[in-house]
Amino acid sequence: MNNPSTENFAISRAALRASRFGAMLSRYPRALGWVRRLMLPLAIQDENSFNKHFRFFILLAGCAMSDPKDLKALGILSRDLNAYMENVMDEASDKPMVWSEWNLSNEILRAFDVRQYVPETFAIVSQMAGSDAAVEMIERAEEEGMAPEHCSAAKTAVGALLANEAPKPDVIISSSHPCDSVASSYQTLQYMTKVPMFVLDTPYWDDDKSFKHYENNLWDLIAFLEKHLDQKLDWDKLREICANVNQTNHYLQELSEMSRAVPSPTSVEPLLLSWLGRMAAFGSPNGMEFAELVHANARERLRKKRSFIEKEKIRMIWYDVPLVFAPLFPWLEKKFGAVVVSDFMGRIQTVPIDTSSPETMVRDLAKTHLYCTMVRHTRGPAEFYLEEFKKIIDEYSGDCFIFMGHQGCKGGWALRKMFRDVCREAGLPSLFVSSDIFDKRHVTEEEVKRQFEDFFRSNGLA
Amino acid sequence: MISAGIDVGTRFVKACIVKDGEVMGWAGQDVSRDIDRVIAGVYKKALEQAGIKKRQVKKLVSTGYGAKLVKKTSFTMSSDRCAAKGAFALDPTIRTVLDCGGLFLTVTAIDEKGVFERALSNDKCAAGSGKFLEMSAQAIEIPFSSISQYAELSREPYVISSNCAVFAESEVITQVNHGRNNTDIIAGVLHSIAGRAATLFERIQAQDNVALGGGLAAVPAFADRFEQMTERKTVSLPMPPQNFGAFGAALMAQQGDPFKEGSRRK
């Protein structure tokens, strides 16, 4: 099935080199700040053959982050990201390889002695080799018979397997959320890899019965992993991980709340990066240190009433910040003084985990999983999204709402009118952009920028 | 504050000078090869009509197909938003604006506060545009200003079957050679364009009231056919319909700092 003519992990290795370079520079945050400053004019231009190989680096260099202290925090996070990528590519390792869907929180998996790979993250990693790389993966998946209507992240995951960019799995863990597209893509991945797969059944509602159902799922998952990995779960390790998760969540949740201040001492970017780092760093000491540091920096800015970006003019509330359009953020900041104060992807809303016994840990892990980004929104009725959205509008003093819809996300598009009506009721100007988070063919960055300019100006925001 | 809006369309360039929301002067001219000179000339005429000097204009905003050709513009803005802004400023009951220009038909929906909601446009093909009507009128030797009179005399409007303006022009010439009456041909062309406009209009689920903008709106026979097809009455506004875009652009330039008053911030 794999193409023998393709070098294994060619794109991943290029991404790792860029990430290592970023991590090395972040040891000298001021130097990284200068590199960012010098590269920014080239990076925020539309992609061309010259800038395509380093343009996405701007994401690793913290998007619009400019405070050297934040850049230092980023370096701490990138240590774990690098370790994750090295582990994925370590073909000599005798540790079992577990694939885990990106909406799952992997504390339990981390308490086993395994390597892990999150297939959808390749859609982000591949952007380091230019946006063409993701498109190539998507096309490979489509050529093999995946429907064009599938989510591009799911197609990239399949494409990566075909292009020898994914490690060989021993076990796969998937779930019934966030959408049919992702759930069905895991059936394809299992069909292609022929390894055992465990599917978590995500409940619809937020009640005790639903939490109990998911808790039982987690016990079944532990039994499944112990059987197929021939290992026992290390409960002491899980306790340590859960304690770190509690601390990390505390910092990130406070960080989400700090954006309510005007001017905002932070933006969703550290939150998004922590979300990106979740697959590698959530519950790790580095992940916790990153959260602690960005929290302390934001707190310091809040005390001094300093804004996250140089001059805050427009406060944006986003539906779903597209990571692949990362160079859009420095552009928005530079041209309009626009900062993202809240979005559904980065926002942390969760509960602490009681680490006193295995039973309490699994019970609370079930809740934290169901409160994770995307999971808490997409598994139930539209009201889960809308009630949170109304709260954000009420609390975050946003000047506008941006909905950059993702083509594969049918559930998201179904909400469009409801979001629009909530905005109209609140008198909040809204922009709806039809895009694809990972597939640049759908809409060009130039067109997206044009729409932003028109929107800000016609609503008197710029 | 005095501001200016320049709408560089595919057939005409229009300029409008506005002071505190009121029109001071406007001008328009055909597009020709030396577009820079045309833009400068139109702007100069509008300034003369307003009785002011260029230096008194605080902000200039350009719009339309050739918006980027305007030098020293503060910013450019899409024509659908500008036409909607202009029409709403003239009549706040307007919810839908159909802009029928030289090359594009665009229908724009706005809410009760005048906020842009969405727009739809005829992509790529000029068959549903003013240029197509102009080409057809030339082919059958009818002056553009007399199109409505000729169309009114038609007994059996010809049904244009081609979707492409180039093929449709050939079809018109073929019909002339077959001896078809030119009143029936021009009525058929108007019917075809109004049909395309009505399709866009239905797709956007247009709300009342409706304003017609652009050069085609000045052709009464087109407006009549459009009203018949959609079973809606259009509202006539106190400004030549070609000027909504330039007027809207000038109004966009007048928008102040939104955070000085009425801010949502707490």
Side-chain angles (χ1 to χ4, degrees):
Chain A
M1 189 176 299
N2 286 2
N3 181 355
S5 64
T6 312
E7 185 201 344
N8 284 2
F9 304 114
I11 294 171
S12 306
R13 282 185 213 285
L16 180 60
R17 277 196 295 274
S19 183
R20 276 181 182 153
F21 180 61
M24 188 267 288
L25 276 179
S26 64
R27 281 188 226 148
Y28 314 97
R30 288 192 186 282
L32 179 58
W34 276 106
V35 170
R36 271 188 78 258
R37 200 166 288 188
L38 290 170
M39 285 171 62
L40 211 54
L42 297 169
I44 64 176
Q45 283 175 11
D46 290 340
E47 189 176 89
N48 54 46
S49 54
F50 173 66
N51 69 10
K52 74 179 226 182
H53 291 290
F54 67 82
R55 198 163 171 265
F56 200 69
F57 175 78
I58 209 76
L59 172 70
L60 293 177
C63 297
M65 280 182 182
S66 52
D67 191 333
K69 289 178 191 164
D70 283 334
L71 297 177
K72 187 182 167 193
L74 196 63
I76 295 166
L77 182 73
S78 60
R79 280 181 219 154
D80 277 8
L81 283 171
N82 293 349
Y84 162 80
M85 286 196 269
E86 283 160 7
N87 264 326
V88 166
M89 288 183 271
D90 184 4
E91 291 170 287
S93 173
D94 54 2
K95 287 184 188 177
M97 167 53 74
V98 183
W99 284 16
S100 169
E101 188 218 294
W102 67 347
N103 268 279
L104 296 173
S105 202
N106 290 331
E107 297 88 349
I108 290 172
L109 199 53
R110 294 164 72 83
F112 284 96
D113 189 23
V114 294
R115 295 185 297 144
Q116 61 162 314
Y117 170 68
V118 182
E120 292 85 355
T121 50
F122 189 75
I124 300 169
V125 168
S126 62
Q127 301 290 328
M128 311 249 195
S131 50
D132 293 349
V135 171
E136 193 187 321
M137 298 299 138
I138 291 165
E139 285 178 347
R140 287 189 85 142
E142 286 176 357
E143 280 164 17
E144 278 293 316
M146 277 196 90
E149 292 79 11
H150 253 93
C151 170
S152 50
K155 284 188 283 190
T156 313
V158 173
L161 179 62
L162 293 165
N164 299 334
E165 289 287 350
K168 191 184 175 325
D170 295 298
V171 171
I172 297 176
I173 309 171
S174 170
S175 78
S176 58
H177 69 264
C179 58
D180 291 349
S181 192
V182 168
S184 62
S185 72
Y186 272 82
Q187 291 177 16
T188 306
L189 288 171
Q190 199 229 354
Y191 167 76
M192 292 166 77
T193 55
K194 309 271 188 291
V195 297
M197 180 165 83
F198 185 90
V199 182
L200 286 150
D201 180 30
T202 320
Y204 195 76
W205 298 110
D206 262 356
D207 53 22
D208 289 343
K209 196 179 159 191
S210 304
F211 291 136
K212 187 70 191 165
H213 175 75
Y214 200 74
E215 183 189 334
N216 291 339
N217 261 248
L218 291 186
W219 283 113
D220 291 346
L221 171 67
I222 292 167
F224 171 86
L225 289 171
E226 286 184 339
K227 180 185 166 193
H228 289 280
L229 301 175
D230 198 20
Q231 289 181 21
K232 286 283 169 201
L233 185 140
D234 184 341
W235 289 101
D236 290 335
K237 197 172 169 187
L238 184 64
R239 184 170 292 110
E240 190 186 315
I241 290 165
C242 287
N244 287 348
V245 166
N246 280 341
Q247 202 61 21
T248 308
N249 275 337
H250 161 72
Y251 291 130
L252 297 179
Q253 206 156 333
E254 274 209 353
L255 201 65
S256 299
E257 297 296 315
M258 276 192 249
S259 294
R260 289 161 57 174
V262 180
S264 174
T266 185
S267 89
V268 296
E269 279 150 32
L271 294 166
L272 276 174
L273 288 163
S274 76
W275 177 78
L276 176 63
R278 193 180 65 182
M279 71 206 172
F282 208 56
S284 76
N286 283 337
M288 191 175 74
E289 201 183 337
F290 164 79
E292 188 178 3
L293 204 51
V294 288
H295 172 270
N297 297 341
R299 206 183 169 95
E300 181 69 7
R301 284 191 290 267
L302 181 68
R303 198 176 60 76
K304 292 180 179 168
K305 294 191 174 166
R306 272 180 48 213
S307 60
F308 179 73
I309 63 171
E310 218 160 88
K311 201 173 176 188
E312 178 182 307
K313 287 183 183 167
I314 304 171
R315 295 168 63 84
M316 302 181 288
I317 296 169
W318 281 59
Y319 164 70
D320 178 358
V321 171
L323 286 166
V324 167
F325 284 100
L328 200 60
F329 296 101
W331 177 80
L332 283 166
E333 176 206 343
K334 211 175 156 78
K335 186 146 186 169
F336 299 106
V339 64
V340 187
V341 290
S342 189
D343 88 316
F344 287 104
M345 199 66 99
R347 198 172 142 81
I348 305 288
Q349 293 275 290
T350 190
V351 291
I353 302 164
D354 180 350
T355 57
S356 56
S357 71
E359 287 73 25
T360 58
M361 276 195 282
V362 173
R363 180 197 67 201
D364 291 344
L365 274 170
K367 282 187 183 169
T368 60
H369 287 197
L370 294 175
Y371 284 132
C372 266
T373 292
M374 284 178 82
V375 188
R376 72 174 179 274
H377 306 119
T378 54
R379 64 189 162 81
E383 281 75 13
F384 284 5
Y385 253 124
L386 298 177
E387 291 310 314
E388 191 170 334
F389 183 45
K390 285 176 191 164
K391 201 162 173 279
I392 292 172
I393 292 178
D394 201 37
E395 293 176 350
Y396 282 76
S397 309
D399 298 312
C400 58
F401 172 61
I402 312 290
F403 182 103
M404 260 184 95
H406 174 54
Q407 282 318 294
C409 186
K410 308 294 182 286
W413 283 112
L415 288 165
R416 188 185 189 278
K417 183 185 158 42
M418 289 180 240
F419 273 123
R420 200 184 66 177
D421 287 353
V422 171
C423 288
R424 286 175 74 165
E425 208 170 292
L428 189 71
S430 52
L431 172 68
F432 293 86
V433 182
S434 179
S435 65
D436 190 292
I437 295 180
F438 303 111
D439 189 346
K440 69 165 186 181
R441 296 170 301 176
H442 189 78
V443 63
T444 63
E445 204 170 311
E446 190 187 3
E447 172 59 17
V448 172
K449 285 178 179 173
R450 189 194 66 76
Q451 291 191 35
F452 268 94
E453 288 200 52
D454 275 5
F455 171 69
F456 285 152
R457 287 190 165 127
S458 63
N459 284 288
L461 294 168
Chain B
M1 177 189 173
I2 298 175
S3 64
I6 299 182
D7 179 3
V8 184
T10 51
R11 289 289 298 117
F12 290 92
V13 178
K14 289 82 66 180
C16 190
I17 311 295
V18 170
K19 184 181 182 184
D20 302 328
E22 297 296 323
V23 178
M24 295 177 75
W26 68 272
Q29 193 182 320
D30 274 37
V31 167
S32 66
R33 193 183 296 171
D34 191 352
I35 188 73
D36 288 344
R37 189 176 286 180
V38 173
I39 293 168
V42 168
Y43 188 27
K44 194 177 165 193
K45 272 189 215 162
L47 289 168
E48 280 169 8
Q49 205 191 74
I52 59 162
K53 302 280 181 207
K54 199 191 271 186
R55 65 172 180 274
Q56 290 174 265
V57 175
K58 297 284 178 223
K59 226 173 187 181
L60 165 68
V61 171
S62 60
T63 184
Y65 194 68
K68 291 200 190 306
L69 298 170
V70 179
K71 296 186 176 85
K72 294 184 182 170
T73 181
S74 300
F75 56 85
T76 62
M77 179 64 73
S78 62
S79 51
D80 45 12
R81 285 180 187 259
C82 287
K85 181 94 182 169
F88 185 81
L90 294 165
D91 182 351
T93 66
I94 298 295
R95 297 289 172 271
T96 310
V97 181
L98 177 67
D99 188 18
C100 315
L103 202 57
F104 299 103
L105 284 174
T106 308
V107 59
T108 309
I110 46 180
D111 70 9
E112 64 283 353
K113 289 177 185 163
V115 175
F116 171 93
E117 286 202 327
R118 61 198 181 282
L120 288 175
S121 179
N122 65 326
D123 306 314
K124 298 162 194 144
C125 183
S129 70
K131 182 66 186 166
F132 173 45
L133 181 62
E134 202 178 355
M135 282 159 60
S136 303
Q138 270 173 5
I140 54 179
E141 295 173 351
I142 290 177
F144 194 83
S145 56
S146 308
I147 285 173
S148 290
Q149 286 107 295
Y150 277 82
E152 294 306 319
L153 298 173
S154 167
R155 293 280 168 270
E156 196 186 342
Y158 171 66
V159 180
I160 307 270
S161 57
S162 300
N163 284 325
C164 166
V166 177
F167 291 141
E169 190 189 15
S170 305
E171 195 179 331
V172 165
I173 292 165
T174 307
Q175 290 305 314
V176 172
N177 293 339
H178 284 179
R180 191 175 289 271
N181 202 331
N182 59 1
T183 55
D184 290 341
I185 294 173
I186 202 70
V189 171
L190 282 169
H191 191 83
S192 162
I193 300 172
R196 279 168 180 259
T199 307
L200 283 176
F201 196 76
E202 294 303 325
R203 270 178 60 200
I204 209 162
Q205 295 174 326
Q207 305 291 314
D208 283 331
N209 288 337
V210 182
L212 284 185
L216 267 176
V219 179
F222 168 76
D224 290 346
R225 272 162 182 76
F226 175 75
E227 287 181 351
Q228 282 166 17
M229 282 181 183
T230 56
E231 296 175 350
R232 304 277 186 103
K233 288 298 281 182
T234 57
V235 176
S236 70
L237 300 177
M239 178 181 276
Q242 305 94 302
N243 280 10
F244 294 169
F247 177 51
L251 290 176
M252 292 277 187
Q254 299 227 328
Q255 289 185 154
D257 186 343
F259 307 129
K260 281 182 184 160
E261 46 186 288
S263 171
R264 297 179 40 81
R265 296 186 183 199
K266 292 168 185 169

